[in-house]
Amino acid sequence: MDAIDLNLVDLLRGNARLSYAELARQVGLSAPAVHERVGKLESGGVIRAYRAEVEPETIGLGVTALIGIVEDSGADTDDVLEAFRAMPEIESCYFMAGVESFLLKARVGTIAELEQLIVRLNRTPGVASTRTGIALSTKWENRPQPVAPPTG
Amino acid sequence: MDAIDLNLVDLLRGNARLSYAELARQVGLSAPAVHERVGKLESGGVIRAYRAEVEPETIGLGVTALIGIVEDSGADTDDVLEAFRAMPEIESCYFMAGVESFLLKARVGTIAELEQLIVRLNRTPGVASTRTGIALSTKWENRPQPVAPPTG
DNA sequence: AGGTTGAGGTCGATGGCGTCCACGGACTGT
DNA sequence: ACAGTCCGTGGACGCCATCGACCTCAACCT
């Protein structure tokens, strides 16, 4: 992980569809060298995936909610996690410090679907209570912060 | 936005680096047809960006925090937003219903940096108070839920 | 009914790109 | 000094992106 690798990471976080040739021009190496470096970043677990970022409303996911979860005393956290994982609406899942063990980000199409999701969460064994906040709008999301040292 | 478009969106959310030829095979069209469709999805605002998803710890962003913001009565929300936007550590920003107007997701390298960020947030004009929760681990993040109707 | 128009597809060609391979130079440890 | 290793370059070759020409079909107008 040298400065060139960080540079490649920044470039690909900005635009995952850049060609190896273009990446090579940007970092001042040849295309095969970049190809090998990116391959190592992928297999080394630095780059996890390449994803298209989609405007959720346009694909029928207009409702965003953030849900805090309080576990039952004596709940099996792994089982709870497994149950969450099986719900595709839960896009993100953080294990938190504090009273609420988890914070979930969920996206659904309608408030009715959100209601159903919350009911399912409350019925999940190990879940004591939920606390839901609705996002009225997403100002921005997953903005990549640059990590490469400034060039020059 | 027909079923084929939704299919393309799902495919690209799963792997943004798929070639047009591969996409074409998957949806049963020719490569130029797919090229045109994807171009329209991009210029039509459905596909916002293509991003490499990176393991944050590997690039020195080991601390994730979720921060609720209570605004001053009479604060200018746009000014507050501008101030948040200028802080690169804030990766996501949701405008929320409830007492806390904003929920921020921030990533920094160390707890000391998080402390500095919170101080800066509390000093921001229009911010009355902050409430920070630390994510002990990210179980998953931005998992794309499929939206295309099942084929066949 | 028939002609026109436009959207959206296929096909074919071409230039650039991805990817494999052989080779070369700089560090490192002995 | 020398061998080994790492990391790069350059060349070659096949696939891909992308453009233009053409086709098909449905909607619409006269």
Side-chain angles (χ1 to χ4, degrees):
Chain A
M1 271 300 266
D2 60 5
I4 292 182
D5 281 341
L6 288 175
N7 225 309
L8 289 172
V9 164
D10 275 352
L11 288 166
L12 286 170
R13 288 214 294 173
N15 181 3
R17 280 182 82 82
L18 286 175
S19 67
Y20 290 115
E22 182 58 30
L23 291 170
R25 278 187 286 270
Q26 302 264 347
V27 302
L29 289 182
S30 65
V34 168
H35 187 256
E36 188 179 340
R37 276 173 178 265
V38 172
K40 285 182 182 171
L41 288 172
E42 293 169 358
S43 60
V46 175
I47 294 178
R48 211 186 310 156
Y50 301 97
R51 302 205 179 285
E53 194 183 293
V54 168
E55 199 72 43
E57 294 82 5
T58 64
I59 55 171
L61 295 174
V63 177
T64 304
L66 289 131
I67 309 173
I69 303 283
V70 178
E71 280 183 295
D72 275 330
S73 59
D76 185 325
T77 297
D78 288 346
D79 290 351
V80 173
L81 256 180
E82 245 0 83
F84 291 167
R85 201 181 294 274
M87 304 182 191
E89 306 93 323
I90 301 176
E91 296 191 346
S92 304
C93 174
Y94 305 93
F95 186 58
M96 304 289 291
V99 176
E100 295 178 346
S101 307
F102 295 101
L103 195 134
L104 313 177
K105 187 190 77 184
R107 278 223 162 83
V108 293
T110 62
I111 295 287
E113 284 167 40
L114 177 58
E115 178 176 341
Q116 291 172 15
L117 174 62
I118 295 172
V119 168
R120 258 185 293 148
L121 286 171
N122 277 306
R123 278 187 192 144
T124 300
V127 170
S129 69
T130 65
R131 182 181 61 92
T132 300
I134 291 188
L136 301 172
S137 79
T138 300
K139 298 305 179 185
W140 67 87
E141 202 169 27
N142 299 120
R143 177 173 60 155
Q145 54 177 304
V147 291
T151 317
Chain B
M1 272 299 267
D2 60 4
I4 292 180
D5 281 341
L6 288 175
N7 226 309
L8 289 172
V9 164
D10 275 352
L11 289 167
L12 285 170
R13 289 215 293 172
N15 180 4
R17 279 181 82 83
L18 287 175
S19 68
Y20 290 115
E22 182 58 31
L23 291 170
R25 278 187 285 271
Q26 301 266 348
V27 303
L29 289 182
S30 65
V34 167
H35 189 256
E36 188 179 341
R37 276 173 177 266
V38 172
K40 285 182 182 174
L41 289 171
E42 292 169 359
S43 60
V46 175
I47 294 178
R48 211 186 309 157
Y50 301 97
R51 304 205 176 286
E53 195 182 294
V54 167
E55 199 72 43
E57 293 82 6
T58 63
I59 54 170
L61 295 173
V63 176
T64 303
L66 289 131
I67 309 173
I69 304 283
V70 178
E71 278 183 296
D72 275 329
S73 58
D76 185 325
T77 297
D78 288 346
D79 290 350
V80 173
L81 255 180
E82 247 1 84
F84 290 167
R85 201 181 295 274
M87 303 180 191
E89 306 92 324
I90 300 176
E91 294 191 347
S92 304
C93 173
Y94 305 93
F95 186 58
M96 304 289 292
V99 175
E100 295 178 348
S101 307
F102 296 101
L103 196 135
L104 313 178
K105 188 190 77 184
R107 280 223 161 87
V108 293
T110 63
I111 295 287
E113 284 168 42
L114 178 58
E115 178 177 340
Q116 290 172 15
L117 174 64
I118 295 172
V119 168
R120 261 185 293 149
L121 286 170
N122 277 306
R123 280 188 190 144
T124 301
V127 169
S129 69
T130 65
R131 182 180 61 92
T132 301
I134 291 188
L136 300 173
S137 79
T138 299
K139 297 307 181 185
W140 66 88
E141 202 169 26
N142 301 118
R143 177 174 58 157
Q145 55 177 302
V147 293
T151 316

